[in-house]
Amino acid sequence: MASPTTLRRAEIAGVGHYVPDRVVKNADLEEMMATSDAWIQERTGIQERRWFEEGKDTTAGMGAEASRRALAAAGLQPDDVQLIVFATLSPDYFFPGSGVLMQRELGMTNNCPALDVRNQCSGFIYALSVADQFIRTGMYDNVLVVGSEIHSSGLDKSTRGRAVSVIFGDGAGAVVLRPSSQEGHGILSTHLHAQGEFAEELIVKEPGANRDNRTDYVADNREGMYPYMNGQNVFKHAVVRFPQVIKEALDQNGHQPQDIDLLIPHQANLRITQYVQQKIGLGDDKVFSNIQRYGNTTAASIPIALSEAVQEGRVKRGDLVCLAAFGSGFTWASALIKW
């Protein structure tokens, strides 16, 4: 293994995202369950989200479209990719994973490996960290990192499930990693954590493989296939772990919060983002939020937001960009990037 002094640094060479055409506003949810636009916005900040269209959108297909845009931005073709790292909690099949399905969707013929990551809301940063290690050690030069989710097909859209179902949306984002072309630029560090004692606080329990006959069990216990969230406990931990993992990244690289040019957090809840923003002392111009338009797209939320931030000119060469996430597991993570 190469010594730390000879390790390369990875940079993001291209970003892209895709969201389904179907826009579902809060008023549309009022027709499905006992809720209101005011109730949803007050608790989450969400105004609308995207839901997939059956027969048109798939988890792998959305990831492929986001990847095409990221590859085009990087000036690469699909067969230039040497590794796919695909983050999702909503794969198209129980197996195989969506990474190989996306490889097929992109028409890739080079037989590159495809690795699937299941870390939910922290999934994209976990996947980015995995890809970063492969670049650093010199094993691969072009790595495609994708987050893609279809939540809407698995939500309880009745009043019973409203506390969770109003939050989630569908979409995909992708980045291309390559060795940094400029000294001091690229991914400075990534930081990953987990605390499994809280695994059942945010969970989709079924179909669990630990059933003697899981198909029969699920038929009689359908509620286990819907997401469950202890919202108060998730919020309580999120507002602690977000600042901690951001500070960890800053401390390791000799930076202060005021050095951050743009913080792109996982789009879990606008109230969480605002609390964290206040806690670490960042102005509105230094925090990117798009949960108002897309809801929580789990592993896709950070790459979608990063892609939009780049499109809008919010990220410039030389900027210090921090990505941070917290979610099911509990898992939390951060990445600090010199753009």
Side-chain angles (χ1 to χ4, degrees):
M1 181 176 176
S3 68
T5 57
T6 62
L7 293 179
R8 305 184 301 177
R9 182 164 283 158
E11 67 176 8
I12 295 176
V15 297
H17 72 280
Y18 169 87
V19 292
D21 292 332
R22 183 185 177 190
V23 178
V24 179
K25 297 182 178 295
N26 291 344
D28 298 320
L29 299 182
E30 293 173 2
E31 301 177 6
M32 304 177 192
M33 61 190 76
T35 190
S36 69
D37 175 62
W39 188 89
I40 297 169
Q41 289 205 51
E42 179 184 348
R43 286 160 178 79
T44 69
I46 299 167
Q47 300 171 15
E48 62 186 41
R49 72 286 293 144
R50 303 297 180 98
W51 282 0
F52 91 119
E53 297 180 56
E54 187 174 358
K56 177 183 178 183
D57 299 310
T58 66
T59 301
M62 294 193 305
E65 185 54 39
S67 296
R68 291 185 189 100
R69 297 172 187 184
L71 288 165
L76 297 177
Q77 299 297 317
D79 272 345
D80 294 324
V81 173
Q82 296 167 304
L83 170 68
I84 294 168
V85 188
F86 196 108
T88 188
L89 63 74
S90 52
D92 295 298
Y93 303 145
F94 202 84
F95 69 86
S98 289
V100 296
L101 302 180
M102 191 188 76
Q103 181 195 59
R104 179 177 66 185
E105 186 89 13
L106 289 171
M108 298 172 68
T109 61
N110 63 355
N111 298 326
C112 80
L115 172 66
D116 288 63
V117 172
R118 289 288 302 274
N119 284 88
Q120 296 70 247
C121 300
S122 301
F124 179 77
I125 299 182
Y126 266 71
L128 189 73
S129 183
V130 169
D132 181 39
Q133 311 315 311
F134 280 113
I135 297 284
R136 284 177 180 261
T137 58
M139 187 165 183
Y140 299 118
D141 290 328
N142 298 318
V143 182
L144 182 58
V145 185
V146 181
S148 182
E149 304 284 10
I150 293 178
H151 288 299
S152 59
S153 60
L155 300 175
D156 180 356
K157 300 185 181 80
S158 70
T159 298
R160 180 182 60 185
R162 66 177 180 177
V164 174
S165 297
V166 301
I167 296 172
F168 291 99
D170 307 335
V175 303
V176 176
L177 290 192
R178 68 183 177 197
S180 177
S181 58
Q182 185 175 343
E183 182 69 26
H185 286 252
I187 298 175
L188 303 181
S189 61
T190 58
H191 308 268
L192 313 178
H193 299 279
Q195 193 172 8
E197 67 188 273
F198 297 107
E200 286 76 26
E201 297 294 83
L202 180 50
I203 186 173
V204 173
K205 195 171 184 179
E206 305 299 345
N210 59 342
R211 309 291 182 191
D212 184 50
N213 189 327
R214 64 180 180 236
T215 55
D216 287 349
Y217 182 87
V218 168
D220 296 328
N221 297 272
R222 293 180 58 84
E223 67 278 0
M225 296 186 67
Y226 294 129
Y228 164 79
M229 178 173 65
N230 182 341
Q232 288 187 338
N233 208 23
V234 171
F235 187 96
K236 181 179 73 174
H237 283 81
V239 296
V240 172
R241 297 307 190 184
F242 261 113
Q244 282 181 348
V245 80
I246 292 168
K247 184 177 186 299
E248 181 181 4
L250 293 170
D251 287 350
Q252 178 160 322
N253 295 282
H255 287 289
Q256 301 296 320
Q258 59 266 28
D259 297 330
I260 295 175
D261 293 295
L262 193 65
L263 170 66
I264 302 179
H266 164 55
Q267 307 292 305
N269 184 310
L270 188 60
R271 307 307 165 218
I272 293 175
T273 297
Q274 291 170 336
Y275 185 97
V276 172
Q277 174 184 348
Q278 183 180 27
K279 183 77 173 177
I280 60 179
L282 295 180
D284 291 345
D285 61 325
K286 292 195 171 187
V287 181
F288 192 89
S289 293
N290 62 2
I291 191 172
Q292 302 91 328
R293 299 190 302 279
Y294 302 128
N296 181 343
T297 56
T298 312
S301 77
I302 287 178
I304 291 173
L306 178 60
S307 178
E308 287 201 329
V310 170
Q311 285 184 354
E312 295 174 16
R314 297 280 300 275
V315 180
K316 304 178 294 298
R317 188 71 172 172
D319 279 355
L320 190 67
V321 178
C322 185
L323 314 179
F326 174 89
S328 174
F330 288 147
T331 64
W332 60 100
S334 66
L336 195 64
I337 305 167
K338 187 72 169 180
W339 203 261

